[in-house]
Short mmCIF file of all heavy atoms in Angstrom, two decimals:
data_model
loop_
_atom_site.label_atom_id
_atom_site.label_comp_id
_atom_site.label_asym_id
_atom_site.label_seq_id
_atom_site.Cartn_x
_atom_site.Cartn_y
_atom_site.Cartn_z
N SER U 258 0.15 1.92 -68.88
CA SER U 258 0.37 1.33 -70.19
C SER U 258 1.53 2.05 -70.86
O SER U 258 1.93 3.13 -70.45
CB SER U 258 -0.90 1.41 -71.03
OG SER U 258 -1.18 2.73 -71.39
N GLY U 259 2.07 1.44 -71.85
CA GLY U 259 3.17 2.04 -72.58
C GLY U 259 4.32 1.07 -72.71
O GLY U 259 4.24 -0.08 -72.29
N THR U 260 5.39 1.56 -73.28
CA THR U 260 6.61 0.77 -73.45
C THR U 260 7.72 1.42 -72.65
O THR U 260 7.91 2.64 -72.73
CB THR U 260 7.00 0.69 -74.94
OG1 THR U 260 5.91 0.13 -75.66
CG2 THR U 260 8.24 -0.16 -75.14
N TYR U 261 8.41 0.61 -71.86
CA TYR U 261 9.45 1.13 -70.97
C TYR U 261 10.75 0.37 -71.22
O TYR U 261 10.75 -0.82 -71.51
CB TYR U 261 9.04 0.97 -69.51
CG TYR U 261 7.84 1.82 -69.17
CD1 TYR U 261 6.55 1.37 -69.43
CD2 TYR U 261 8.01 3.07 -68.60
CE1 TYR U 261 5.45 2.15 -69.14
CE2 TYR U 261 6.91 3.86 -68.30
CZ TYR U 261 5.63 3.40 -68.58
OH TYR U 261 4.56 4.17 -68.30
N ARG U 262 11.85 1.07 -71.08
CA ARG U 262 13.17 0.44 -71.18
C ARG U 262 13.72 0.31 -69.76
O ARG U 262 13.80 1.27 -69.01
CB ARG U 262 14.12 1.29 -72.02
CG ARG U 262 15.55 0.72 -72.03
CD ARG U 262 16.46 1.46 -72.99
NE ARG U 262 16.01 1.14 -74.35
CZ ARG U 262 15.76 2.08 -75.27
NH1 ARG U 262 15.90 3.35 -75.00
NH2 ARG U 262 15.37 1.71 -76.48
N LEU U 263 14.09 -0.91 -69.41
CA LEU U 263 14.72 -1.20 -68.13
C LEU U 263 16.19 -1.48 -68.41
O LEU U 263 16.53 -2.36 -69.20
CB LEU U 263 14.08 -2.41 -67.47
CG LEU U 263 14.73 -2.91 -66.18
CD1 LEU U 263 14.65 -1.84 -65.09
CD2 LEU U 263 14.07 -4.20 -65.72
N GLU U 264 17.06 -0.72 -67.76
CA GLU U 264 18.49 -0.90 -67.91
C GLU U 264 19.11 -1.11 -66.54
O GLU U 264 18.72 -0.45 -65.58
CB GLU U 264 19.13 0.32 -68.58
CG GLU U 264 18.59 0.59 -69.97
CD GLU U 264 19.12 1.88 -70.56
OE1 GLU U 264 18.90 2.94 -69.96
OE2 GLU U 264 19.75 1.81 -71.63
N VAL U 265 20.04 -2.03 -66.45
CA VAL U 265 20.77 -2.27 -65.22
C VAL U 265 22.25 -2.26 -65.55
O VAL U 265 22.70 -2.98 -66.43
CB VAL U 265 20.38 -3.63 -64.58
CG1 VAL U 265 21.18 -3.87 -63.31
CG2 VAL U 265 18.89 -3.69 -64.31
N ALA U 266 22.99 -1.40 -64.84
CA ALA U 266 24.44 -1.32 -65.05
C ALA U 266 25.10 -1.17 -63.69
O ALA U 266 24.70 -0.31 -62.89
CB ALA U 266 24.80 -0.14 -65.94
N ASP U 267 26.06 -2.01 -63.41
CA ASP U 267 26.79 -1.98 -62.13
C ASP U 267 25.84 -2.05 -60.94
O ASP U 267 26.04 -1.38 -59.93
CB ASP U 267 27.67 -0.73 -62.04
CG ASP U 267 28.73 -0.70 -63.12
OD1 ASP U 267 29.25 -1.78 -63.46
OD2 ASP U 267 29.04 0.40 -63.63
N GLY U 268 24.77 -2.85 -61.07
CA GLY U 268 23.83 -3.04 -59.97
C GLY U 268 22.83 -1.92 -59.77
O GLY U 268 22.06 -1.94 -58.82
N VAL U 269 22.81 -0.93 -60.67
CA VAL U 269 21.89 0.20 -60.56
C VAL U 269 20.89 0.13 -61.71
O VAL U 269 21.29 0.03 -62.87
CB VAL U 269 22.65 1.54 -60.59
CG1 VAL U 269 21.68 2.71 -60.54
CG2 VAL U 269 23.64 1.61 -59.44
N GLY U 270 19.61 0.18 -61.38
CA GLY U 270 18.57 0.09 -62.40
C GLY U 270 18.04 1.44 -62.79
O GLY U 270 18.04 2.39 -62.01
N ASN U 271 17.57 1.53 -64.03
CA ASN U 271 16.95 2.74 -64.54
C ASN U 271 15.79 2.32 -65.43
O ASN U 271 15.91 1.38 -66.21
CB ASN U 271 17.97 3.57 -65.34
CG ASN U 271 17.37 4.87 -65.83
OD1 ASN U 271 16.65 5.53 -65.12
ND2 ASN U 271 17.68 5.22 -67.06
N CYS U 272 14.67 3.01 -65.30
CA CYS U 272 13.48 2.70 -66.09
C CYS U 272 12.97 4.00 -66.70
O CYS U 272 12.79 4.99 -66.00
CB CYS U 272 12.42 2.07 -65.20
SG CYS U 272 10.94 1.58 -66.09
N SER U 273 12.74 3.99 -68.02
CA SER U 273 12.23 5.18 -68.69
C SER U 273 11.26 4.78 -69.79
O SER U 273 11.41 3.73 -70.43
CB SER U 273 13.40 6.00 -69.28
OG SER U 273 14.17 5.21 -70.15
N GLN U 274 10.26 5.62 -70.01
CA GLN U 274 9.28 5.35 -71.06
C GLN U 274 9.92 5.68 -72.41
O GLN U 274 10.62 6.68 -72.54
CB GLN U 274 8.01 6.17 -70.85
CG GLN U 274 6.90 5.73 -71.76
CD GLN U 274 5.55 6.28 -71.36
OE1 GLN U 274 5.44 7.18 -70.54
NE2 GLN U 274 4.50 5.73 -71.93
N VAL U 275 9.66 4.83 -73.40
CA VAL U 275 10.24 5.00 -74.73
C VAL U 275 9.17 4.80 -75.79
O VAL U 275 8.12 4.22 -75.54
CB VAL U 275 11.41 4.02 -74.98
CG1 VAL U 275 12.57 4.29 -74.04
CG2 VAL U 275 10.96 2.58 -74.87
N ASP U 276 9.45 5.31 -76.97
CA ASP U 276 8.58 5.10 -78.12
C ASP U 276 9.26 4.08 -79.01
O ASP U 276 9.95 4.42 -79.97
CB ASP U 276 8.37 6.43 -78.85
CG ASP U 276 7.40 6.30 -80.01
OD1 ASP U 276 6.53 5.40 -79.94
OD2 ASP U 276 7.51 7.08 -80.97
N ALA U 277 9.12 2.80 -78.66
CA ALA U 277 9.80 1.72 -79.37
C ALA U 277 8.96 0.46 -79.26
O ALA U 277 8.01 0.39 -78.48
CB ALA U 277 11.18 1.49 -78.76
N THR U 278 9.32 -0.54 -80.03
CA THR U 278 8.67 -1.84 -79.95
C THR U 278 9.24 -2.60 -78.76
O THR U 278 10.46 -2.64 -78.58
CB THR U 278 8.90 -2.64 -81.25
OG1 THR U 278 8.41 -1.87 -82.34
CG2 THR U 278 8.20 -3.97 -81.20
N ALA U 279 8.38 -3.21 -77.96
CA ALA U 279 8.81 -3.93 -76.76
C ALA U 279 9.41 -5.29 -77.12
O ALA U 279 8.96 -5.95 -78.05
CB ALA U 279 7.63 -4.13 -75.82
N ASP U 280 10.43 -5.69 -76.37
CA ASP U 280 11.02 -7.02 -76.51
C ASP U 280 10.16 -8.08 -75.82
O ASP U 280 10.14 -9.24 -76.23
CB ASP U 280 12.42 -7.06 -75.91
CG ASP U 280 13.40 -6.19 -76.67
OD1 ASP U 280 13.26 -6.06 -77.90
OD2 ASP U 280 14.31 -5.63 -76.04
N VAL U 281 9.48 -7.68 -74.74
CA VAL U 281 8.55 -8.56 -74.03
C VAL U 281 7.33 -7.74 -73.63
O VAL U 281 7.39 -6.52 -73.53
CB VAL U 281 9.17 -9.20 -72.76
CG1 VAL U 281 10.30 -10.14 -73.11
CG2 VAL U 281 9.64 -8.15 -71.78
N SER U 282 6.22 -8.43 -73.39
CA SER U 282 5.02 -7.74 -72.92
C SER U 282 4.32 -8.59 -71.87
O SER U 282 4.35 -9.82 -71.93
CB SER U 282 4.08 -7.42 -74.09
OG SER U 282 3.63 -8.60 -74.70
N PHE U 283 3.72 -7.89 -70.89
CA PHE U 283 2.97 -8.55 -69.83
C PHE U 283 2.14 -7.51 -69.11
O PHE U 283 2.34 -6.30 -69.27
CB PHE U 283 3.91 -9.28 -68.86
CG PHE U 283 5.11 -8.48 -68.40
CD1 PHE U 283 5.02 -7.60 -67.34
CD2 PHE U 283 6.32 -8.61 -69.05
CE1 PHE U 283 6.11 -6.86 -66.92
CE2 PHE U 283 7.43 -7.89 -68.64
CZ PHE U 283 7.31 -7.01 -67.57
N GLN U 284 1.20 -7.97 -68.30
CA GLN U 284 0.32 -7.10 -67.54
C GLN U 284 1.03 -6.54 -66.31
O GLN U 284 2.02 -7.10 -65.84
CB GLN U 284 -0.93 -7.87 -67.12
CG GLN U 284 -1.76 -8.39 -68.28
CD GLN U 284 -2.33 -7.26 -69.11
OE1 GLN U 284 -2.83 -6.26 -68.59
NE2 GLN U 284 -2.25 -7.41 -70.42
N ALA U 285 0.47 -5.46 -65.76
CA ALA U 285 1.08 -4.79 -64.60
C ALA U 285 1.21 -5.71 -63.40
O ALA U 285 2.20 -5.62 -62.67
CB ALA U 285 0.27 -3.54 -64.23
N GLU U 286 0.25 -6.60 -63.17
CA GLU U 286 0.35 -7.48 -62.00
C GLU U 286 1.53 -8.44 -62.11
O GLU U 286 2.09 -8.86 -61.10
CB GLU U 286 -0.96 -8.24 -61.74
CG GLU U 286 -1.32 -9.25 -62.79
CD GLU U 286 -2.24 -8.70 -63.89
OE1 GLU U 286 -2.46 -7.48 -63.96
OE2 GLU U 286 -2.75 -9.53 -64.66
N ILE U 287 1.93 -8.77 -63.32
CA ILE U 287 3.11 -9.61 -63.51
C ILE U 287 4.36 -8.85 -63.07
O ILE U 287 5.22 -9.39 -62.37
CB ILE U 287 3.24 -10.06 -64.98
CG1 ILE U 287 2.04 -10.88 -65.40
CG2 ILE U 287 4.55 -10.80 -65.21
CD1 ILE U 287 1.87 -12.18 -64.65
N LEU U 288 4.44 -7.58 -63.45
CA LEU U 288 5.57 -6.75 -63.03
C LEU U 288 5.62 -6.66 -61.51
O LEU U 288 6.68 -6.78 -60.90
CB LEU U 288 5.49 -5.36 -63.64
CG LEU U 288 6.60 -4.40 -63.24
CD1 LEU U 288 7.97 -4.93 -63.64
CD2 LEU U 288 6.36 -3.03 -63.84
N GLY U 289 4.48 -6.50 -60.86
CA GLY U 289 4.43 -6.44 -59.41
C GLY U 289 4.96 -7.72 -58.78
O GLY U 289 5.73 -7.69 -57.83
N SER U 290 4.55 -8.85 -59.31
CA SER U 290 5.01 -10.13 -58.79
C SER U 290 6.52 -10.29 -58.98
O SER U 290 7.23 -10.74 -58.07
CB SER U 290 4.27 -11.27 -59.51
OG SER U 290 4.71 -12.51 -59.06
N LEU U 291 7.02 -9.91 -60.15
CA LEU U 291 8.45 -9.99 -60.39
C LEU U 291 9.21 -9.03 -59.47
O LEU U 291 10.22 -9.40 -58.87
CB LEU U 291 8.78 -9.66 -61.85
CG LEU U 291 8.27 -10.64 -62.90
CD1 LEU U 291 8.51 -10.09 -64.29
CD2 LEU U 291 8.92 -12.00 -62.73
N TYR U 292 8.72 -7.80 -59.34
CA TYR U 292 9.39 -6.78 -58.54
C TYR U 292 9.50 -7.19 -57.07
O TYR U 292 10.51 -6.95 -56.42
CB TYR U 292 8.67 -5.45 -58.67
CG TYR U 292 9.31 -4.34 -57.89
CD1 TYR U 292 10.48 -3.75 -58.33
CD2 TYR U 292 8.75 -3.89 -56.70
CE1 TYR U 292 11.09 -2.74 -57.61
CE2 TYR U 292 9.34 -2.88 -55.97
CZ TYR U 292 10.52 -2.30 -56.44
OH TYR U 292 11.10 -1.30 -55.72
N LEU U 293 8.46 -7.83 -56.56
CA LEU U 293 8.47 -8.22 -55.15
C LEU U 293 9.29 -9.48 -54.89
O LEU U 293 9.48 -9.88 -53.75
CB LEU U 293 7.04 -8.41 -54.65
CG LEU U 293 6.23 -7.12 -54.57
CD1 LEU U 293 4.77 -7.42 -54.23
CD2 LEU U 293 6.83 -6.15 -53.57
N GLY U 294 9.79 -10.10 -55.95
CA GLY U 294 10.70 -11.23 -55.79
C GLY U 294 10.05 -12.59 -55.73
O GLY U 294 10.73 -13.59 -55.60
N GLY U 295 8.74 -12.65 -55.84
CA GLY U 295 8.06 -13.93 -55.74
C GLY U 295 7.69 -14.53 -57.08
O GLY U 295 7.24 -15.66 -57.15
N GLY U 296 7.89 -13.76 -58.15
CA GLY U 296 7.52 -14.25 -59.47
C GLY U 296 8.66 -14.98 -60.15
O GLY U 296 9.83 -14.82 -59.81
N ASP U 297 8.32 -15.79 -61.11
CA ASP U 297 9.29 -16.54 -61.89
C ASP U 297 9.00 -16.25 -63.36
O ASP U 297 8.05 -16.77 -63.93
CB ASP U 297 9.14 -18.03 -61.59
CG ASP U 297 10.15 -18.90 -62.29
OD1 ASP U 297 10.52 -18.59 -63.45
OD2 ASP U 297 10.56 -19.91 -61.70
N ALA U 298 9.81 -15.38 -63.97
CA ALA U 298 9.57 -14.95 -65.34
C ALA U 298 9.58 -16.11 -66.31
O ALA U 298 8.80 -16.14 -67.27
CB ALA U 298 10.60 -13.89 -65.76
N LEU U 299 10.43 -17.09 -66.09
CA LEU U 299 10.50 -18.24 -66.99
C LEU U 299 9.21 -19.05 -66.93
O LEU U 299 8.66 -19.46 -67.96
CB LEU U 299 11.70 -19.12 -66.65
CG LEU U 299 13.07 -18.43 -66.78
CD1 LEU U 299 14.17 -19.34 -66.26
CD2 LEU U 299 13.33 -17.99 -68.20
N ALA U 300 8.70 -19.29 -65.72
CA ALA U 300 7.45 -20.04 -65.57
C ALA U 300 6.28 -19.24 -66.14
O ALA U 300 5.38 -19.81 -66.77
CB ALA U 300 7.21 -20.37 -64.11
N MET U 301 6.29 -17.93 -65.93
CA MET U 301 5.21 -17.09 -66.45
C MET U 301 5.21 -17.07 -67.97
O MET U 301 4.15 -17.08 -68.60
CB MET U 301 5.30 -15.68 -65.89
CG MET U 301 4.99 -15.61 -64.42
SD MET U 301 5.19 -13.94 -63.82
CE MET U 301 4.93 -14.19 -62.08
N ALA U 302 6.39 -17.06 -68.57
CA ALA U 302 6.47 -17.12 -70.03
C ALA U 302 5.97 -18.48 -70.52
O ALA U 302 5.26 -18.57 -71.53
CB ALA U 302 7.90 -16.87 -70.49
N GLY U 303 6.33 -19.53 -69.80
CA GLY U 303 5.89 -20.87 -70.17
C GLY U 303 4.38 -21.04 -70.12
O GLY U 303 3.81 -21.83 -70.86
N SER U 304 3.73 -20.27 -69.24
CA SER U 304 2.28 -20.35 -69.13
C SER U 304 1.56 -19.29 -69.97
O SER U 304 0.35 -19.17 -69.90
CB SER U 304 1.86 -20.23 -67.66
OG SER U 304 2.14 -18.92 -67.18
N GLY U 305 2.34 -18.52 -70.76
CA GLY U 305 1.74 -17.53 -71.65
C GLY U 305 1.45 -16.19 -71.02
O GLY U 305 0.81 -15.34 -71.63
N ARG U 306 1.91 -15.96 -69.80
CA ARG U 306 1.63 -14.68 -69.12
C ARG U 306 2.66 -13.61 -69.46
O ARG U 306 2.44 -12.43 -69.22
CB ARG U 306 1.54 -14.89 -67.62
CG ARG U 306 0.41 -15.89 -67.29
CD ARG U 306 0.07 -15.94 -65.86
NE ARG U 306 -0.61 -14.71 -65.50
CZ ARG U 306 -0.72 -14.29 -64.25
NH1 ARG U 306 -0.20 -14.98 -63.28
NH2 ARG U 306 -1.35 -13.17 -63.97
N ILE U 307 3.81 -14.02 -70.01
CA ILE U 307 4.81 -13.10 -70.55
C ILE U 307 5.07 -13.53 -71.98
O ILE U 307 5.34 -14.70 -72.24
CB ILE U 307 6.13 -13.13 -69.74
CG1 ILE U 307 5.90 -12.64 -68.31
CG2 ILE U 307 7.20 -12.28 -70.42
CD1 ILE U 307 7.15 -12.69 -67.43
N ASP U 308 4.98 -12.57 -72.91
CA ASP U 308 5.23 -12.85 -74.32
C ASP U 308 6.48 -12.11 -74.77
O ASP U 308 6.74 -10.99 -74.32
CB ASP U 308 4.06 -12.36 -75.18
CG ASP U 308 2.78 -13.12 -74.91
OD1 ASP U 308 2.85 -14.35 -74.81
OD2 ASP U 308 1.72 -12.47 -74.82
N GLY U 309 7.26 -12.74 -75.65
CA GLY U 309 8.38 -12.03 -76.23
C GLY U 309 9.63 -12.85 -76.37
O GLY U 309 9.62 -14.08 -76.27
N ASP U 310 10.73 -12.15 -76.57
CA ASP U 310 12.04 -12.73 -76.82
C ASP U 310 12.49 -13.59 -75.63
O ASP U 310 12.62 -13.08 -74.52
CB ASP U 310 13.02 -11.59 -77.06
CG ASP U 310 14.42 -12.04 -77.41
OD1 ASP U 310 14.80 -13.18 -77.11
OD2 ASP U 310 15.15 -11.22 -77.99
N PRO U 311 12.73 -14.89 -75.84
CA PRO U 311 13.15 -15.76 -74.74
C PRO U 311 14.43 -15.29 -74.04
O PRO U 311 14.56 -15.46 -72.82
CB PRO U 311 13.37 -17.11 -75.41
CG PRO U 311 12.52 -17.07 -76.64
CD PRO U 311 12.54 -15.63 -77.09
N ALA U 312 15.36 -14.69 -74.76
CA ALA U 312 16.59 -14.20 -74.13
C ALA U 312 16.29 -13.05 -73.17
O ALA U 312 16.89 -12.95 -72.10
CB ALA U 312 17.59 -13.74 -75.20
N VAL U 313 15.32 -12.21 -73.52
CA VAL U 313 14.95 -11.09 -72.64
C VAL U 313 14.17 -11.61 -71.44
O VAL U 313 14.34 -11.12 -70.33
CB VAL U 313 14.16 -10.02 -73.42
CG1 VAL U 313 13.72 -8.89 -72.50
CG2 VAL U 313 14.99 -9.47 -74.56
N VAL U 314 13.34 -12.62 -71.64
CA VAL U 314 12.62 -13.24 -70.51
C VAL U 314 13.63 -13.82 -69.52
O VAL U 314 13.50 -13.64 -68.31
CB VAL U 314 11.64 -14.32 -71.00
CG1 VAL U 314 11.05 -15.07 -69.81
CG2 VAL U 314 10.53 -13.70 -71.84
N THR U 315 14.67 -14.47 -70.02
CA THR U 315 15.71 -15.02 -69.15
C THR U 315 16.41 -13.91 -68.38
O THR U 315 16.69 -14.03 -67.19
CB THR U 315 16.73 -15.83 -69.98
OG1 THR U 315 16.03 -16.91 -70.60
CG2 THR U 315 17.85 -16.37 -69.12
N MET U 316 16.66 -12.78 -69.05
CA MET U 316 17.28 -11.65 -68.38
C MET U 316 16.37 -11.09 -67.29
O MET U 316 16.82 -10.77 -66.18
CB MET U 316 17.60 -10.54 -69.40
CG MET U 316 18.44 -9.43 -68.82
SD MET U 316 18.80 -8.06 -69.96
CE MET U 316 18.87 -8.83 -71.54
N LEU U 317 15.06 -10.98 -67.58
CA LEU U 317 14.11 -10.54 -66.55
C LEU U 317 14.15 -11.47 -65.34
O LEU U 317 14.12 -11.01 -64.19
CB LEU U 317 12.69 -10.52 -67.11
CG LEU U 317 12.26 -9.35 -67.95
CD1 LEU U 317 10.87 -9.60 -68.51
CD2 LEU U 317 12.30 -8.07 -67.15
N HIS U 318 14.20 -12.75 -65.61
CA HIS U 318 14.26 -13.73 -64.54
C HIS U 318 15.48 -13.48 -63.65
O HIS U 318 15.39 -13.46 -62.43
CB HIS U 318 14.29 -15.14 -65.13
CG HIS U 318 14.32 -16.22 -64.09
ND1 HIS U 318 13.22 -16.57 -63.37
CD2 HIS U 318 15.33 -17.00 -63.66
CE1 HIS U 318 13.54 -17.54 -62.52
NE2 HIS U 318 14.82 -17.82 -62.68
N ARG U 319 16.63 -13.27 -64.26
CA ARG U 319 17.87 -13.04 -63.50
C ARG U 319 17.85 -11.71 -62.76
O ARG U 319 18.36 -11.61 -61.65
CB ARG U 319 19.06 -13.10 -64.45
CG ARG U 319 19.32 -14.50 -64.95
CD ARG U 319 20.64 -14.68 -65.70
NE ARG U 319 21.40 -13.50 -65.96
CZ ARG U 319 21.76 -13.06 -67.17
NH1 ARG U 319 21.42 -13.72 -68.24
NH2 ARG U 319 22.48 -11.97 -67.31
N ILE U 320 17.26 -10.68 -63.35
CA ILE U 320 17.22 -9.36 -62.72
C ILE U 320 16.34 -9.37 -61.47
O ILE U 320 16.71 -8.84 -60.43
CB ILE U 320 16.73 -8.29 -63.71
CG1 ILE U 320 17.79 -8.02 -64.77
CG2 ILE U 320 16.37 -6.99 -62.99
CD1 ILE U 320 17.31 -7.15 -65.92
N PHE U 321 15.15 -9.96 -61.58
CA PHE U 321 14.18 -9.86 -60.49
C PHE U 321 14.21 -10.99 -59.49
O PHE U 321 13.64 -10.86 -58.40
CB PHE U 321 12.77 -9.74 -61.07
CG PHE U 321 12.48 -8.41 -61.69
CD1 PHE U 321 12.35 -8.27 -63.05
CD2 PHE U 321 12.36 -7.28 -60.90
CE1 PHE U 321 12.08 -7.04 -63.61
CE2 PHE U 321 12.09 -6.05 -61.44
CZ PHE U 321 11.95 -5.91 -62.81
N ARG U 322 14.84 -12.09 -59.79
CA ARG U 322 14.85 -13.23 -58.87
C ARG U 322 15.93 -13.04 -57.81
O ARG U 322 17.01 -12.53 -58.09
CB ARG U 322 15.13 -14.50 -59.69
CG ARG U 322 14.71 -15.75 -59.05
CD ARG U 322 13.21 -15.87 -58.95
NE ARG U 322 12.97 -17.22 -58.43
CZ ARG U 322 11.85 -17.62 -57.97
NH1 ARG U 322 10.83 -16.85 -57.95
NH2 ARG U 322 11.73 -18.83 -57.50
N SER U 323 15.66 -13.45 -56.60
CA SER U 323 16.65 -13.34 -55.53
C SER U 323 16.87 -14.72 -54.91
O SER U 323 16.05 -15.62 -55.06
CB SER U 323 16.20 -12.34 -54.46
OG SER U 323 15.04 -12.80 -53.83
N ASP U 324 17.98 -14.86 -54.20
CA ASP U 324 18.28 -16.12 -53.54
C ASP U 324 17.32 -16.38 -52.38
O ASP U 324 17.00 -17.52 -52.08
CB ASP U 324 19.72 -16.14 -53.02
CG ASP U 324 20.73 -16.17 -54.15
OD1 ASP U 324 20.39 -16.64 -55.25
OD2 ASP U 324 21.87 -15.73 -53.93
N GLN U 325 16.89 -15.32 -51.72
CA GLN U 325 15.97 -15.43 -50.60
C GLN U 325 14.55 -15.16 -51.08
O GLN U 325 14.29 -14.12 -51.68
CB GLN U 325 16.33 -14.42 -49.51
CG GLN U 325 17.68 -14.67 -48.87
CD GLN U 325 17.68 -15.95 -48.08
OE1 GLN U 325 16.70 -16.40 -47.55
NE2 GLN U 325 18.86 -16.58 -48.01
N PRO U 326 13.60 -16.06 -50.85
CA PRO U 326 12.23 -15.79 -51.24
C PRO U 326 11.64 -14.67 -50.38
O PRO U 326 12.08 -14.45 -49.24
CB PRO U 326 11.51 -17.12 -50.99
CG PRO U 326 12.34 -17.81 -49.98
CD PRO U 326 13.76 -17.36 -50.21
N PRO U 327 10.66 -13.92 -50.91
CA PRO U 327 10.06 -12.86 -50.10
C PRO U 327 9.36 -13.45 -48.87
O PRO U 327 8.85 -14.56 -48.91
CB PRO U 327 9.05 -12.23 -51.06
CG PRO U 327 8.86 -13.20 -52.16
CD PRO U 327 10.06 -14.06 -52.21
N TRP U 328 9.38 -12.68 -47.80
CA TRP U 328 8.77 -13.14 -46.55
C TRP U 328 8.29 -11.93 -45.78
O TRP U 328 9.00 -10.92 -45.67
CB TRP U 328 9.78 -13.93 -45.73
CG TRP U 328 9.26 -14.40 -44.41
CD1 TRP U 328 8.35 -15.38 -44.20
CD2 TRP U 328 9.61 -13.89 -43.12
NE1 TRP U 328 8.12 -15.55 -42.87
CE2 TRP U 328 8.89 -14.62 -42.17
CE3 TRP U 328 10.46 -12.89 -42.69
CZ2 TRP U 328 8.98 -14.38 -40.81
CZ3 TRP U 328 10.56 -12.66 -41.34
CH2 TRP U 328 9.82 -13.41 -40.41
N CYS U 329 7.11 -11.99 -45.26
CA CYS U 329 6.55 -10.89 -44.46
C CYS U 329 6.13 -11.48 -43.11
O CYS U 329 5.32 -12.39 -43.03
CB CYS U 329 5.33 -10.28 -45.15
SG CYS U 329 4.60 -8.93 -44.20
N PRO U 330 6.74 -10.96 -42.03
CA PRO U 330 6.45 -11.52 -40.70
C PRO U 330 5.09 -11.09 -40.15
O PRO U 330 4.62 -11.62 -39.16
CB PRO U 330 7.57 -10.98 -39.84
CG PRO U 330 7.94 -9.68 -40.47
CD PRO U 330 7.75 -9.92 -41.95
N GLU U 331 4.43 -10.14 -40.79
CA GLU U 331 3.16 -9.63 -40.31
C GLU U 331 2.00 -10.35 -40.99
O GLU U 331 2.04 -10.63 -42.18
CB GLU U 331 3.02 -8.13 -40.60
CG GLU U 331 4.11 -7.29 -39.96
CD GLU U 331 4.06 -7.33 -38.44
OE1 GLU U 331 2.96 -7.38 -37.88
OE2 GLU U 331 5.14 -7.30 -37.84
N VAL U 332 0.96 -10.64 -40.24
CA VAL U 332 -0.24 -11.23 -40.79
C VAL U 332 -1.24 -10.10 -40.98
O VAL U 332 -1.52 -9.34 -40.06
CB VAL U 332 -0.83 -12.30 -39.84
CG1 VAL U 332 -2.14 -12.85 -40.38
CG2 VAL U 332 0.19 -13.40 -39.61
N PHE U 333 -1.78 -9.99 -42.18
CA PHE U 333 -2.72 -8.90 -42.46
C PHE U 333 -4.12 -9.37 -42.30
O PHE U 333 -4.52 -10.42 -42.65
CB PHE U 333 -2.51 -8.39 -43.90
CG PHE U 333 -1.23 -7.67 -44.06
CD1 PHE U 333 -0.08 -8.33 -44.45
CD2 PHE U 333 -1.16 -6.31 -43.80
CE1 PHE U 333 1.11 -7.65 -44.61
CE2 PHE U 333 0.04 -5.64 -43.96
CZ PHE U 333 1.17 -6.31 -44.36
#
């Protein structure tokens, strides 16, 4: 739990805990889905799973989305 600042500059990301008001909020499992590349921040915001500034949600979408969908060749 807490508030974190995510910064990306020249393709390098940095994440640090801050004492500030969050621009967006969501549960940890949402972050996991976004981080693994299978989540869609815009759709999650539309369904109420991400709350906050629409411009920041769009930025999250662009940061975490990739052209190639995630794929795992192993069956668990």
